[in-house]
Amino acid sequence: MEPYATVDQVWAGGLLFARLGAIIMLLPGIGEAYVPARIRLALALLLAMALYPVVGHTLPALPPTTGGMVGWILREVATGLAIGAILRLFTSALMTAGEIVSMQTTLGFSQTANPMQAAPGSTLSAFLVLLGVTLIFATDTHHLFIGAMVGSYEMIAPAKPLVAADFSELAVRTMSQSFLLGVQLAAPVLVFALVFNLASGLVARVMPSFQVYFAAAPLSVLLGLSVFALSLGVLGTVFIDRYRALIRVFMGGALG
């Protein structure tokens, strides 16, 4: 391969491909099961060649032993999987919000195939997850993924020790923030459900003979979905802003 690329260049390209391929495998939208594996591999290879002039100086030299080569490749794969898992983990906020809205509007039993998960989920949860992926591409947030990949080589340089404790702390923090964000996104429907259920209970106490359930059930679905539709714009905006802030953590070069 010397006429085309030196041994050191092939080694550097392989290290870049190991980390970038692992990240792309877990990225929202790009790393889904319905995206052909050849497309993801081709994208990872293209990014490895494009980013080599930018981050090539941070890569270690070719080890003299096979064991050293395998160790470096496994380290880069583990780093890429950790970064991709954290970026995907935050999208669980939309699934949490969808499940809460489904329970409050009595639509929790409405199940549908969720292309983002192996198991089916509630219809509103699947809708919100697909909405989030659409917003990521519509707002060009996926361009920040490339910036995060470049920033990861400054924040987690291959020549530096891999600190697993920082990754664990960031993963726990991301999970807690995503759950909190999911509850916040569903807050309008939660407030409506609280007021509506209190009103229904008062009507049932004042008029015991009135069949509150038959009147309240369709109103709960109709009004709950109306409140959900009215808050959809704010929901998408808040999610994208918070997701961009998470990506900038890797672009800024600091785990904290």
Side-chain angles (χ1 to χ4, degrees):
M1 297 185 66
E2 290 294 336
Y4 305 97
T6 64
V7 175
D8 291 335
Q9 289 175 335
V10 174
W11 164 248
L15 279 184
L16 285 172
F17 181 79
R19 179 182 294 198
L20 299 179
I23 294 175
I24 289 175
M25 186 175 67
L26 294 176
L27 283 181
I30 302 175
E32 306 304 332
Y34 52 77
V35 178
R38 292 182 180 180
I39 301 297
R40 287 178 282 173
L41 291 175
L43 179 60
L45 182 60
L46 178 62
L47 287 175
M49 292 187 294
L51 297 182
Y52 173 75
V54 180
V55 299
H57 64 281
T58 64
L59 301 175
L62 178 64
T65 62
T66 304
M69 295 173 57
V70 173
W72 278 112
I73 292 175
L74 291 178
R75 182 187 189 277
E76 289 300 290
V77 170
T79 303
L81 290 176
I83 296 173
I86 290 173
L87 292 176
R88 171 174 285 273
L89 192 62
F90 197 75
T91 59
S92 62
L94 295 174
M95 289 184 283
T96 302
E99 293 294 338
I100 292 175
V101 173
S102 298
M103 289 188 294
Q104 298 303 320
T105 56
T106 67
L107 294 176
F109 292 102
S110 177
Q111 301 286 311
T112 187
N114 192 340
M116 308 287 288
Q117 293 178 307
S122 64
T123 302
L124 292 179
S125 178
F127 168 74
L128 285 181
V129 171
L130 291 176
L131 175 65
V133 173
T134 303
L135 288 175
I136 288 174
F137 288 95
T139 58
D140 292 335
T141 303
H142 61 289
H143 293 170
L144 298 180
F145 289 152
I146 301 177
M149 294 175 188
V150 175
S152 70
Y153 282 92
E154 297 294 333
M155 179 178 64
I156 316 165
K160 296 180 181 179
L162 182 60
V163 183
D166 290 342
F167 270 119
S168 302
E169 180 184 353
L170 182 58
V172 172
R173 190 193 317 162
T174 302
M175 188 63 188
S176 61
Q177 290 177 352
S178 65
F179 181 79
L180 177 62
L181 179 61
V183 176
Q184 292 173 343
L185 294 178
V189 179
L190 281 173
V191 174
F192 158 76
L194 177 62
V195 174
F196 185 82
N197 290 331
L198 287 176
S200 301
L202 290 175
V203 171
R205 292 288 293 179
V206 174
M207 303 174 60
S209 60
F210 181 68
Q211 299 295 329
V212 177
Y213 176 78
F214 292 101
L219 284 177
S220 176
V221 176
L222 179 62
L223 297 178
L225 290 180
S226 299
V227 173
F228 173 68
L230 291 174
S231 62
L232 206 54
V234 178
L235 184 151
T237 303
V238 172
F239 170 75
I240 286 297
D241 290 342
R242 296 286 294 274
Y243 197 56
R244 283 173 173 263
L246 174 65
I247 298 175
R248 291 192 183 98
V249 170
F250 294 99
M251 295 177 63
L255 278 174

